[in-house]
Amino acid sequence: MNVRKKNAKEREYDQAELNKAKYDLAEEAVKFAQEFAECDGDVFYSTYKEFSNKAWYYEREKENSAMPSVGDTWDWENKVCGAYRYRDI
């Protein structure tokens, strides 16, 4: 498998994706908090799931951004991103 260090464009793409995930998580947190306050501590399951999904997405983007290398396929143990993540940049 060909493995190389991420280039500047790939690191910029990672940062943009991380910022987007962070923004989406913050927006969902506001919705969750508002519903929690309006419903006296109760929230709809769908609201909880949306918040949970955004948190998971943010954590995944943090992991992806921290991977220093790019290869043909993903290798989580060796911190290698799959090259197809960057095909659209």
Side-chain angles (χ1 to χ4, degrees), residues 6 14-15 18 60-68 85:
K6 287 182 181 178
D14 284 345
Q15 190 60 49
L18 183 59
R60 187 186 64 176
E61 287 302 327
K62 280 193 337 187
E63 289 176 359
N64 291 344
S65 295
M67 292 181 175
R85 173 175 167 84

Side-chain angles (χ1 to χ4, degrees), residues 33-69:
Q34 288 172 340
E35 186 173 305
F36 186 86
E38 289 172 5
C39 297
D40 295 324
D42 291 332
V43 292
F44 293 113
Y45 184 72
S46 59
T47 304
Y48 156 74
K49 285 304 291 179
E50 281 297 315
F51 184 52
S52 178
N53 288 341
K54 297 295 182 182
W56 177 85
Y57 176 63
Y58 173 68
E59 289 299 319
R60 187 186 64 176
E61 287 302 327
K62 280 193 337 187
E63 289 176 359
N64 291 344
S65 295
M67 292 181 175
S69 302

